[in-house]
Amino acid sequence: MSTLVERISRIFDEGHGRELEGLLTDKQFADPNPRPAAVLIALTDRPQPGVILTQRPDSMEKHPGQVAFPGGKLEPGEDAVQAALRETHEELAIDPAQVQIIGTSDIYHTGTGFNVTPVLGVIPPDLPIRPDPREVESHFEVPLSHLFNPANYAEHKTMWQGAERIYYRMEYEGYIIWGVTAAIILNLARRMTLTELFNG
């Protein structure tokens, strides 16, 4: 087990061992019969770890052009970890055997009919990634210290389905990280105090 896996596992377990009020959610807009889904938050095992994100093609019917974690709906008989690993393999050709699972975090209730379980895992650095062009326009890696810093996100408000919706947005090297993806990141950042990781 790598040093990063050991340290992240401890920080993750400590952060998820308590109740936490005020996590971001779109539950007020949620479908009464949501579909379970899962995403993989893949940390790269580097001295300064990063997180792999994808941009969806503009041709996709749902959420075209948006930045997202690899992931999707659970298939019959799958749990969240299995679904996240399968979808990541389908989208980016990352072998599930290369992912060391840390754990699952708070379910995010979207306003588009899904209950999304974030799955945190660690992958070796510089894995060969082969995106499926039907699902992935491009992929990129964001330093964990930048992605998990709430100060890098701007709060926005809009009217949606007759009510005010708050969402968060960050730009990184021409990519816009916002909506559900940003909310999942910020919820997990509240669970995990990563200062020691970045200070050695």
Side-chain angles (χ1 to χ4, degrees), residues 10-20 191:
R10 178 171 52 78
I11 294 168
F12 182 91
D13 289 344
E14 288 174 355
H16 287 78
R18 56 192 170 90
E19 293 293 325
L20 194 59
R191 287 283 187 191

Side-chain angles (χ1 to χ4, degrees), residues 154-160 163-168:
E155 181 182 294
H156 295 267
K157 297 179 181 179
T158 187
M159 293 301 294
W160 193 48
E164 183 179 78
R165 183 191 181 207
I166 296 174
Y167 67 93
Y168 293 84

Side-chain angles (χ1 to χ4, degrees), residues 88-144:
T88 301
H89 184 255
E90 292 174 1
E91 293 181 25
L92 299 175
I94 293 177
D95 185 346
Q98 296 277 12
V99 184
Q100 297 186 71
I101 298 297
I102 303 298
T104 59
S105 193
D106 302 282
I107 293 174
Y108 190 86
H109 305 274
T110 78
T112 53
F114 294 98
N115 285 351
V116 182
T117 300
V119 179
L120 187 65
V122 175
I123 62 174
D126 305 314
L127 278 178
I129 293 177
R130 299 186 301 279
D132 182 339
R134 295 171 298 179
E135 298 190 72
V136 178
E137 176 72 26
S138 61
H139 68 280
F140 60 107
E141 183 175 335
V142 186
L144 184 62

Side-chain angles (χ1 to χ4, degrees), residues 29-188:
F29 304 107
D31 190 296
N33 297 299
R35 291 282 306 275
V39 296
L40 181 68
I41 304 174
L43 308 184
T44 53
D45 193 352
R46 307 182 189 278
Q48 293 297 319
V51 178
I52 303 296
L53 289 165
T54 70
Q55 184 171 36
R56 296 163 65 86
D58 288 332
S59 59
M60 294 196 78
E61 181 181 349
K62 295 183 178 180
H63 311 297
Q66 289 190 10
V67 168
F69 295 111
K73 295 177 288 189
L74 271 64
E75 299 292 345
E78 283 186 327
D79 61 23
V81 171
Q82 292 168 330
L85 291 175
R86 173 183 54 76
E87 288 280 352
T88 301
H89 184 255
E90 292 174 1
E91 293 181 25
L92 299 175
I94 293 177
D95 185 346
Q98 296 277 12
V99 184
Q100 297 186 71
I101 298 297
I102 303 298
T104 59
S105 193
D106 302 282
I107 293 174
Y108 190 86
H109 305 274
T110 78
T112 53
F114 294 98
N115 285 351
V116 182
T117 300
V119 179
L120 187 65
V122 175
I123 62 174
D126 305 314
L127 278 178
I129 293 177
R130 299 186 301 279
D132 182 339
R134 295 171 298 179
E135 298 190 72
V136 178
E137 176 72 26
S138 61
H139 68 280
F140 60 107
E141 183 175 335
V142 186
L144 184 62
S145 58
H146 187 84
L147 192 69
F148 273 49
N149 183 352
N152 292 328
Y153 293 82
E155 181 182 294
H156 295 267
K157 297 179 181 179
T158 187
M159 293 301 294
W160 193 48
Q161 296 183 10
E164 183 179 78
R165 183 191 181 207
I166 296 174
Y167 67 93
Y168 293 84
R169 183 181 186 274
M170 177 182 75
E171 293 189 32
Y172 180 78
E173 295 188 351
Y175 292 99
I176 298 174
I177 302 165
W178 71 288
V180 171
T181 300
I184 287 172
I185 293 165
L186 290 170
N187 281 348
L188 188 54

Side-chain angles (χ1 to χ4, degrees), residues 22-39:
L23 290 171
L24 300 174
T25 182
D26 281 329
K27 196 169 186 176
Q28 63 173 317
F29 304 107
D31 190 296
N33 297 299
R35 291 282 306 275
V39 296

